[in-house]
Amino acid sequence: MKLIFAVIRDKDANDAVEELIERRIGVTKLASTGGFLRDGNTTLMIGTEDNRVEEVMQALKETCAKRSQMEVVAPHATGGVPVWNLGYAPVKVEVGGATVFVLDVEQFRKL
Ligand code: 2BA
């Protein structure tokens, strides 16, 4: 058995959990904070059979992989300076990504 820790973006967490639950893979969602940015992120704790690790990776890739997406930048994102032309301009930003650790589980018991 393996225990997988996946550090993902908060925004991707619901999709990732739904995808795992749909595949009948157990998951616990933990609120976490990145040491570098000191910003909130989500850590998923996933216990699964060895032969399903790749399926978990696939589920995480589908829901959390790094991708570019168009986002509308609100005026405050310009640093408080009103920029009429840029106020609500859609810009391409990179979102998502997952940092994944796979550990061997010595014992798994439910007491
Ligand atoms: P990522 O490398 O994608 O890491 C995203 C989050 O994953 C990290 O958030 C942290 O919560 C977790 N993580 C990454 N590597 C880990 C590890 N070896 N052990 C445990 N947890 C780990 P943050 O620490 O807030 O980092 C956010 C992003 O800042 C990182 O994205 C990376 O692009 C950048 N970064 C992190 N440390 C850096 C450093 N020393 N210098 C420059 N950039 C750094």
Side-chain angles (χ1 to χ4, degrees), residues 70-75 78 83-93:
M70 298 304 285
E71 289 212 356
V72 174
V73 180
T78 62
V83 182
W84 282 103
N85 306 358
L86 297 178
Y88 291 98
V91 290
K92 206 175 198 180
V93 293

Side-chain angles (χ1 to χ4, degrees), residues 17-39:
V17 169
E18 263 176 40
E19 183 65 34
L20 291 163
I21 294 299
E22 221 165 80
R23 293 173 189 251
R24 307 239 182 291
I25 295 170
V27 57
T28 298
K29 187 177 150 201
L30 308 167
S32 45
T33 305
F36 187 67
L37 295 180
R38 309 282 163 95
D39 209 0

Side-chain angles (χ1 to χ4, degrees), residues 7-9 32-39 41 66 97-99 101:
V7 185
I8 62 173
R9 304 304 190 266
S32 45
T33 305
F36 187 67
L37 295 180
R38 309 282 163 95
D39 209 0
N41 53 27
K66 273 206 164 87
T99 300
F101 302 85

